[in-house]
Amino acid sequence: MSRRTPRIDRNSPLYLAWRRFLKNKPGVISAGVLAILYLIALFAGFLAPYNPTTQHPDAVYQPPQRVHIFREGRLVRPFVYQLVKKRDPVTFIASYQEDTTRPTPIRFFIRQGDPYSFFGIKTNLHLFGVSEGYFFPLGTDQFGRDLLSRMLVGSQVSLTVGVIGVAISFAIGILLGGISGYFGGWIDTVIQRTTEVLLSIPRLPILMALSTVIPASWPSTYVYLGIIAVLSFIGWAGLARVVRGQVLAAREIDYVTAARAIGAPNLWIILRHITPNLTSYLIVTATLALPGYIIGESALSFLGLGIKEPMASWGLLLKDAQNFQALSLYPWLLAPGVLIFVSVLAYNFFGDALRDAADVRSID
Amino acid sequence: MWSFVFRRFLVAIPTLLLISVLIFGVIQLQPGGFLENMLDDPRVSRETVETIRKQYGLDQPVWVQYLNWLKRFAQGDFGYSFLNNRPVAGLIWERLGWTVFLAVLTILTTWVVAIPLGIYTALRRHGLGATVVNLIGYFGLATPDFLVALLLIFAVLSSGGTNVGGLFSPQYIDAPWSWEKFKDMLAHLWIPLIVIGLDGTASIMRQMRANMLDVLTQDYIRTARSKGLAERVVLWKHAVRNAINPLISIAGLSLPNLISSTIIASIVLNLPTIGPFLYQSLLDKDQYVVMALLMLSAILLMIGNLLADLALAWADPRIRYE
Amino acid sequence: MTIRKALWLLGFMAMGLASAQPKVVSGYENGKPGGTLTMALSSAPQTMFYYGAIDSAIQTLANQMFDGLIEYNYKTYQIEPALAASWTITGESKVYTFKLRKGVKWSDGRDLTADDVVFTYTQIVANPEAKGGDAGNFAGVKIEKVDAGTVRFTLPKPAPAFIHYMRLPIMPKHKLLPFSQEGGKKPGDINNAWPTNVDPNEVVGTGPFKLQSYTPGQKVTLVKNPNYWKRDANGTPLPYLDRLEFLIIPDSQAQVAQFLAGNLGQLNITGTDFPTLKQREVQGAPIKVVQFRALFGSPPHLAFNYDAKNPELAALFRKTEFRRAIQSAVNRKRIIDDVYNGLAELPGNGVAPVSEWYYDTTKLLGTYDLAAANAALDKLGLKKGADGIRLLPSGKPLEFTLTYGSNSSTFTAIATIIQNDLKAIGVKANLQGVLAANLLSTGRGKDWDAIILGFGDQPDPELRTPIWKPGGDLYYWHQSTQPTTPGGQPQFSNFLPWEKEIYDLWEKAASTTNFTQRKALYDRWQAIFAREAMVIMIAKPNAVGAVSTKYGNYIYSLGVIPGYNPVPIMYQK
């Protein structure tokens, strides 16, 4: 510890909070998991072996291919067997058998398929793949599209829906709450009424009604943003209330009055003095509100009101698994559900850890 | 206290008005609706549709329709369901019983599960046990409820069971009440309770934990301990009692939310509640049904809030409303 | 009572019994009475009055509780006597005289008379304000009672398919008079008859079952009508079953679950559910999964908007060569295999392949050939741009929206496959999902370029006139041919030459009564339809049903088609 640089004040609240956070093992692990998930989303195009929309009609509903590293008892570079399709004449169920005569080695940093765009750079470089035949690590869907690729690209939608949605609802909430608390009077009353109205409306019906209002003629990116707007429509009300409370309290503190007396601008005062208290609350609330967007988006997809083809999201992918045929015959389609589960859990543990860390009165 | 209630009541009215305007507006914005869909059947001519439109007053400007609705609603007339050719009130009443029953049962179950879990995770904050318990609690939060419903049904089917949805086996649906019917209902209830209840478990657990932590740092707890009271007594008689208080206000909020949040689960599990009815009416633009149901929810919410605040005041002598 | 009087009485009774004309249904196993069958409804009934709403739930229920004057043979779909024991068509096919079956009683014991028939048609069916009525097809038709057992319809002009309309259910005058105009009410008040909370004893019908109870949102119970007028070959009164129960289950997977759990005795399924259910049957579950080539049911098609907002696209969509080129990119075999699990066949053009009106257009349907499609589009002068997407003459990319039903897995799958293949020939289709219930209203509006939609097939093409006859109300892909005023003439000036041909064929067929001549006319129509790819028909799904093995004499039925109800011959083993 003596090597620590003297610049860090060991008694600053931030440092103490950081130490408390580190003690919370689930929280730390979750933070790691989330970081990995977002990194994966960032590099989704590269990590995925195929483009999410490429169809392979001859490999419909193919189960995940096993990666082998032993062949005839010897250790070789990883490879997969190609699968041969047979359709049962009575039940029409397609079954796949490994063709052990055709091992296909897995290549890394392979260029194949249509180019995808990575921050403006067009490339078709993929982390891994096979140069002949197919390699579907998590199997395929009804159109022969690689499930892993679709999940990876879908993570971009599912993980950002929450971030953007929370950002929007927080921006609106903080702004309106702050204005309401600081200026008071009729502005306050109007904004207060509005928040009460929004808090009193049952959530799902309004979500559904608003989703049907999004014109079908909009391109899918607009629809995506529209869905986020719908989901965040109700979110800001609760936050506005809290901010307003904080602002009201801060308004009365002497030094704020003094600052106003010497003519400092209103906004600056509010920000300067509210922020420390508010920030921890905001961070925790944001972290705990985010998973709601992920689940909300999947609920909308279930009802047919959310993200639509050809965009992929975990909710939309999960819809494919929402029938007995999938559960009995194609259980690999449930994989997106696992990702939803993991990410929501991670957010919750992480948020709990943050809140414990920020809580000054914690008893240890 | 009565002046407090009266003031809340006064404040509620403009809020309800605003809510009704908002909901009415959103409904109007929706495309399609039952009138348009009627045209899809070749039997129906445009004249029939226009006549029906006039009959229901749907050809008038939106604000006129709204004012008409408002006038009738204030007098207790919930309007007419176009699709069902019946007044809305009767339709809601038929389904209300089961909705409330399920909602109350779910709240009770959630509490029974979540509060002990919340206490445990407050007392043992950093153990593996806490993580496991948190996992259980968050499970409902982390899985979409339609998926859980389907998985449970699949599990039941795979093990040869027959309780795969609905509140009763078909033969008991219209049978008179009996011990058999009651047992049948219990056998069906566990799936909806898990699916709907798990969601709320996490937030109540969390809230309970936070409250416990809050309470345990209070001075009076230290005093109680220093008085020599057994830890168990300190815990239950003082800490838990005080920690539960804020939860009462959450209870007030859960009831109306249960009407709307159970829609998806009710569809998959085939429960005879208001949820699927609301969903279908929304899609078909049966506007008076939607207005009646959503306004009902909003009113319930406000009453729930009011009752919760009153209960809080009654339970906690520190809180007084002038 | 004197002996003479008693003898007269006996004589009259004997005559009465002898003149009762039960219909014998033969050709099926003779079952035994008793048992209950539980089926599913996908929505709660909006009313208990068939004509009070457009609602598939009440249509299914009414099919069990009421009958029409005619019905369809279970196997051949030929028209057979039902409530009408016989009929004659005279006066240049404009006069239909029906003799009612003797001895038919309503479920409350009263006799069926011509008054009921006249009441049903004049006060309900021909009532323009009845939501489920059919006033358009009865405009100008005179309906009169000839005597207590005879009804006559006099048409303004010959309509060869008129006999099919006689399948509509006959309603009891003695119960519905208070709601009708004849009973002193406004025409629209008929819709208030028999709401869902009506006393079940009020819902009186001639059908095999009658309403016993309705538990809102959960279950409808029907019980055997002891007065039903059908018998089996042994003389046992039909229906065999004592009770019919309908569980209200909106979610299709929930329906499958209930069937697998044994709570439903019969279920209509789609190709998607076939493999899992068939697998269970093969593994020994007490169920039978059957599939038939279907008559009814809706084959999906891909339509282009001849009046698309973008004039370049509209001009292109009107070209037959363009549509046929696109047709070469529609992989029907893949759709049949992957979307319907093989349970579909190549479609007809407006007529189901299993129908007697079918004209074999399979050779005119084109084949899946991307090279040919590319060549055809090249020939149209649509050069490929730098990114592989073809360019319109103005230089803009050949791009349009493809609308489909987002909550239908079948339509979503078809749209995804077609979009993928279109990309391979340089055509960019942007998928646009709407709720399936709003599909047709979207198509009837102006805001679409290409759409995937399905219309049901019927036993007689004439019944689908508003859809396939150019200028019809549901001829939605070329709205500029539709009349400018309701009931007016189509805008002939906007007809394409082959549309004029089709229109003339339909006009002629509407007044031709000779079957061979009509068939020739409709054959030519189907040929032109296929040749011009008016809309691109995709596939005709099979009828797939699952039934528990404890029932005999199961015949698949869609449930909602009036006049087609094979449930009375089902029996519990």
Side-chain angles (χ1 to χ4, degrees), chain A residues 171-206:
Chain A
I172 302 179
I174 295 174
L175 190 66
L176 289 182
I179 293 177
S180 174
Y182 191 78
F183 290 108
W186 64 271
I187 302 182
D188 181 28
T189 321
V190 165
I191 297 184
Q192 269 295 89
R193 286 290 89 78
T194 318
T195 57
E196 267 175 41
V197 164
L198 286 178
L199 284 175
S200 308
I201 301 181
R203 229 172 145 245
L204 192 59
I206 279 292

Side-chain angles (χ1 to χ4, degrees), chain B residues 22 41 46 65-66 97 179-180 285:
Chain B
L22 186 67
D41 189 305
R46 204 161 258 292
Q65 289 181 47
Y66 173 71
W179 179 238
E180 299 300 323
K285 266 176 91 158

Side-chain angles (χ1 to χ4, degrees), chain B residues 35-85:
Chain B
L35 273 180
E36 302 308 319
N37 293 342
M38 275 180 74
L39 282 173
D40 293 349
D41 189 305
R43 284 188 283 164
V44 181
S45 67
R46 204 161 258 292
E47 289 98 56
T48 314
V49 171
E50 293 310 314
T51 316
I52 294 179
R53 197 194 293 273
K54 262 207 264 300
Q55 214 180 15
Y56 290 143
L58 292 174
D59 54 333
Q60 298 183 308
V62 173
W63 60 272
V64 171
Q65 289 181 47
Y66 173 71
L67 288 175
N68 283 337
W69 172 82
L70 192 60
K71 199 164 55 161
R72 288 197 302 259
F73 193 76
Q75 296 166 349
D77 175 5
F78 285 179
Y80 193 74
S81 163
F82 308 134
L83 281 178
N84 296 278
N85 293 335

